[in-house]
Amino acid sequence: MKIKLEGVTKRFDDVVAVNDFSLEFEEGTLTALLGPSGCGKSTMLNMLSGILPVTEGKIYFDNDDVTDMPPQKRGVGLVFQNYALYPHMSVLDNICFPLEIQKVPKAERIEKAKEMARLVKIEQYLDRKPKELSGGQQQRVAIARALIKNPRLLLLDEPLSNLDARLRLEMREEIRRIQQETKVTTIFVTHDQEEAMSISDKIVLMKDGYLMQVDRPQALYDEPQKLFVANFLGNPPINNLEGKIKDGKFVLADDSASVKVDLKSAVEGEEVVLGIRAESVGVDDDADFEAIIKERFTMGKEELAILKLGNSELRIYLSSDFTHKPGEKVGFKLKNKGVFLFDKKSGERK
């Protein structure tokens, strides 16, 4: 099922949680709603489910206007951060419960529940109570319960945030597998860029209720259209150098150093931010800039180095066979990929 939002806005008194949001979610895809806390991700999810009413705008499921449709008629499956399992019920009964509410015959709902349990790989735990399960197993139960209704849309609200690091990795891979097997249109809310990058077909990046950019994960990383997008994606974070275009070069704001950059999109005297990803710098005698090696940190096959460029610092990746020592001045070359100019005031990509 395709989801279409037209000018969706949500206000809480004087607070605008989601602002004039228009977007289409493609059928059968997994889309991540990504952004910092308070950006409107969960509010958007709750409007899609019908839990929260829309202040302005329209929501369409395929060609059906569901803006004012009650939650129980939308065909939506919901999985929350806290699982929301019934502690006095067995795993089997938890999964069956939505069908019991729908008055589905017992034999049919048990058969369907066992099918869902096999899908999420918890068929051996059907007789246990939720307290006897690990966090990851409880999350699988919650997903099975959401899927047993054969939803047209599956909504996941930060479903992995209560799990430890190893379980988070395992469960995000499982969520991707389940989504690809069921082909159900899925929207996944997270503030974790690594989660969003690893399992999504597309990422919708939000800030303060606004849509910042939407694209495939790698395309979003490679071609950020706003400074906020470049800053939010990447670890270590992108290096931001504030300065201006002077005599055909980028010059730091305090005039302490300069960098040769592609100036096709910038003009003389313009105040800009030069964004450089850590992997986008290499050692080269034909240098775009010179910097002093300040510190080096071994990270297996590569190293993270801190460079001193004028009065500013950059974090970059280097090969582990890099021979220069802290205190040495070295020439560096910028790669074509991962280097961006942004307008200082607007934050828009040049």
Side-chain angles (χ1 to χ4, degrees):
M1 181 178 67
K2 181 177 69 176
I3 312 298
K4 185 178 180 181
L5 308 177
E6 289 185 351
V8 171
T9 296
K10 180 61 184 178
R11 296 189 186 92
F12 297 97
D13 297 325
D14 295 331
V15 177
V16 182
V18 175
N19 203 326
D20 193 21
F21 203 100
S22 297
L23 187 65
E24 286 192 12
F25 297 89
E26 297 174 19
E27 180 177 0
T29 59
L30 193 160
T31 303
L33 283 181
L34 177 66
S37 297
C39 73
K41 307 183 299 295
S42 293
T43 300
M44 179 65 73
L45 213 69
N46 286 330
M47 287 191 289
L48 286 166
S49 69
I51 293 173
L52 282 176
V54 172
T55 305
E56 295 172 12
K58 295 288 184 180
I59 299 176
Y60 295 92
F61 287 3
D62 284 334
N63 295 318
D64 301 326
D65 184 350
V66 301
T67 310
D68 299 315
M69 185 180 289
Q72 64 272 21
K73 293 185 178 181
R74 295 195 182 194
V76 171
L78 274 169
V79 179
F80 296 103
Q81 178 179 343
N82 61 1
Y83 318 139
L85 302 178
Y86 299 107
H88 63 288
M89 291 184 180
S90 68
V91 167
L92 178 64
D93 290 339
N94 264 283
I95 298 173
C96 282
F97 189 71
L99 298 188
E100 185 177 346
I101 296 296
Q102 296 175 5
K103 309 296 184 184
V104 174
K106 184 175 182 180
E108 183 180 339
R109 65 180 185 252
I110 288 177
E111 182 181 350
K112 184 69 173 176
K114 288 180 178 179
E115 180 186 335
M116 291 297 102
R118 286 192 294 272
L119 176 67
V120 301
K121 299 182 178 178
I122 53 168
E123 60 268 33
Q124 67 270 43
Y125 305 122
L126 289 175
D127 295 329
R128 295 189 185 183
K129 297 288 177 64
K131 66 180 180 181
E132 300 175 286
L133 303 178
S134 69
Q137 290 163 350
Q138 290 183 49
Q139 190 59 276
R140 291 170 189 265
V141 177
I143 293 171
R145 186 178 61 185
L147 289 173
I148 199 170
K149 297 185 295 182
N150 193 27
R152 296 194 292 167
L153 175 64
L154 179 63
L155 303 176
L156 307 169
D157 193 1
E158 304 228 27
L160 309 181
S161 55
N162 288 341
L163 306 179
D164 62 38
R166 187 169 182 174
L167 265 180
R168 286 171 74 103
L169 178 61
E170 177 186 321
M171 277 308 302
R172 75 187 189 206
E173 292 171 351
E174 282 297 286
I175 286 171
R176 182 57 173 168
R177 177 188 64 80
I178 292 165
Q179 189 276 326
Q180 290 185 320
E181 285 190 24
T182 61
K183 303 298 183 185
V184 62
T185 304
T186 302
I187 300 175
F188 179 104
V189 162
T190 181
H191 62 272
D192 187 317
Q193 56 159 315
E194 188 176 326
E195 280 180 9
M197 293 283 288
S198 64
I199 68 171
S200 306
D201 295 303
K202 282 192 175 179
I203 293 176
V204 176
L205 186 54
M206 298 179 65
K207 178 190 178 189
D208 298 333
Y210 288 94
L211 172 61
M212 291 287 103
Q213 191 173 337
V214 55
D215 212 327
R216 294 176 292 104
Q218 194 61 48
L220 205 66
Y221 181 84
D222 290 340
E223 298 294 340
Q225 297 306 306
K226 300 177 186 293
L227 181 58
F228 172 80
V229 178
N231 284 336
F232 200 85
L233 298 174
N235 187 28
I238 194 169
N239 298 287
N240 288 325
L241 302 175
E242 292 189 6
K244 56 187 176 294
I245 304 304
K246 183 178 179 181
D247 298 330
K249 292 183 178 181
F250 169 84
V251 180
L252 290 174
D254 61 3
D255 291 320
S256 61
S258 65
V259 181
K260 285 190 287 186
V261 292
D262 183 354
L263 299 179
K264 292 177 183 176
S265 57
V267 298
E268 185 74 13
E270 191 172 13
E271 291 188 336
V272 294
V273 176
L274 175 60
I276 304 172
R277 295 220 181 269
E279 66 272 19
S280 299
V281 179
V283 179
D284 200 308
D285 292 334
D286 182 22
D288 290 326
F289 66 94
E290 290 187 334
I292 296 172
I293 306 294
K294 188 175 179 181
E295 292 183 71
R296 294 175 58 177
F297 303 94
T298 300
M299 302 177 67
K301 65 178 181 180
E302 57 190 4
E303 293 191 359
L304 183 69
I306 299 178
L307 309 183
K308 184 171 175 54
L309 173 65
N311 294 321
S312 297
E313 289 185 352
L314 289 83
R315 285 173 171 78
I316 70 166
Y317 285 122
L318 295 170
S319 170
S320 58
D321 58 6
F322 180 71
T323 58
H324 296 277
K325 299 178 180 179
E328 290 187 47
K329 180 177 280 191
V330 182
F332 294 94
K333 186 82 171 176
L334 296 179
K335 300 178 182 178
N336 293 327
K337 189 175 179 180
V339 180
F340 317 103
L341 281 175
F342 301 94
D343 183 273
K344 183 179 177 182
K345 291 181 180 179
S346 69
E348 296 288 333
R349 173 95 170 264
K350 299 295 297 178

